[in-house]
Amino acid sequence: MSGPVRSVSQAFTILRLMAQNGAALTLSEITRATDLSLSSCLNLLRTLVAEGALEAENGKRYRLAAEWNGLTALLDTAQARVIARAQPLLDRFAQTHDAATGLWRLDRRERLELVALGESDSATRIHMVVGQRQPFGGGSTGRALAAAQRIDEGELARRYAALRWQRPLDFPAYAVQVGAAAAAGYAVDDGFGHAGICSIACVIPGEPIAFCLSASLFAGSRDAEGIRALGRALRDLAAALATES
């Protein structure tokens, strides 16, 4: 018996992405989220539009057609509910704290995927895109995840080895930062992962852990107490989302 038809599986990957994201996405956002090549993704999108499963907005953005929107067969319903419930809270948090606020989901390939984003109205903002991905250990989210999972030193070293830094950070210092995250309930990356960006992150409690929250701002824009206050507020938001799950 022959195996699955790859193009059909890829088409369902796109449909599930659109169902779980909710908003219209560009071709580049979809290719990033699915790891498809640009040409393959475009051909699949055109086919799905022709079959009536997707709608194209001005030829630049794609969304599920009304008849397909909300189909539970395309959703991991528990995770989809978390994403839908988080979006207005992310928007409010971003406005209140003037920080780009993201919800990250763990995928099966040891990466974190940005699945929802709240942005402030500031004229100068940090650019993030739903669908972007980063390694498990990267940024403040990686430290928060490692702390919450209580991984051993060997696993922590393995995750560290896969990372690239914009400011030098050796493994002992990285391990200390993970320990600090475990004590505080949130992690901080001050310009190591991305120069000029300070990010704070914590996990949304659950078993197993499926989501992390992050708040990103320009380095130097808050003092130490401001960073701690933002970390506590983000931790409270994570707890609220876990309670409602």
Side-chain angles (χ1 to χ4, degrees):
M1 183 175 178
S2 60
V5 178
R6 189 179 181 195
S7 60
V8 175
S9 296
Q10 290 170 337
F12 271 98
T13 297
I14 292 174
L15 291 172
R16 292 189 185 100
L17 170 69
M18 306 303 287
Q20 292 169 11
N21 185 76
L25 298 176
T26 65
L27 172 62
S28 60
E29 289 170 343
I30 296 167
T31 56
R32 263 195 305 271
T34 59
D35 289 334
L36 292 168
S37 70
L38 195 66
S39 59
S40 294
C41 189
L42 181 58
N43 287 334
L44 287 164
L45 288 170
R46 287 172 172 168
T47 301
L48 290 168
V49 169
E51 293 293 337
L54 296 182
E55 296 174 348
E57 298 181 355
N58 301 319
K60 295 182 178 180
R61 288 184 173 272
Y62 299 85
R63 67 168 66 248
L64 280 177
E67 297 83 358
W68 286 70
N69 199 22
L71 289 179
T72 56
L74 296 177
L75 294 171
D76 178 331
T77 53
Q79 292 199 1
R81 283 195 299 269
V82 172
I83 295 168
R85 188 170 58 252
Q87 186 60 65
L89 299 179
L90 297 179
D91 292 336
R92 190 180 312 144
F93 191 97
Q95 294 292 346
T96 300
H97 298 279
D98 192 17
T101 308
L103 176 67
W104 300 82
R105 178 173 57 192
L106 282 68
D107 70 18
R108 297 183 181 88
R109 288 170 288 183
E110 294 201 346
R111 297 183 71 80
L112 289 161
E113 177 189 5
L114 185 65
V115 293
L117 175 66
E119 296 183 287
S120 73
D121 291 330
S122 297
T124 304
R125 289 173 284 177
I126 294 170
H127 180 65
M128 298 170 68
V129 179
V130 170
Q132 72 183 65
R133 298 183 183 189
Q134 65 181 36
F136 263 9
S140 57
T141 50
R143 294 167 178 76
L145 180 61
Q149 292 177 326
R150 300 180 181 180
I151 60 176
D152 61 27
E153 185 174 348
E155 173 60 15
L156 188 63
R158 185 185 72 82
R159 295 187 189 184
Y160 170 85
L163 304 175
R164 300 293 180 268
W165 305 101
Q166 294 196 2
R167 280 177 56 200
L169 182 68
D170 60 23
F171 177 70
Y174 178 74
V176 167
Q177 292 178 6
V178 171
Y186 61 86
V188 178
D189 182 306
D190 193 0
F192 293 102
H194 299 281
I197 304 297
C198 177
S199 67
I200 300 94
C202 61
V203 302
I204 295 178
E207 188 58 48
I209 294 168
F211 292 99
C212 293
L213 289 171
S214 70
S216 300
L217 54 150
F218 293 108
S221 61
R222 309 283 167 91
D223 61 15
E225 179 51 38
I227 296 296
R228 286 193 289 270
L230 187 57
R232 291 191 295 267
L234 196 67
R235 191 179 59 197
D236 290 345
L237 175 58
L241 283 168
T243 300
E244 296 176 10
S245 298

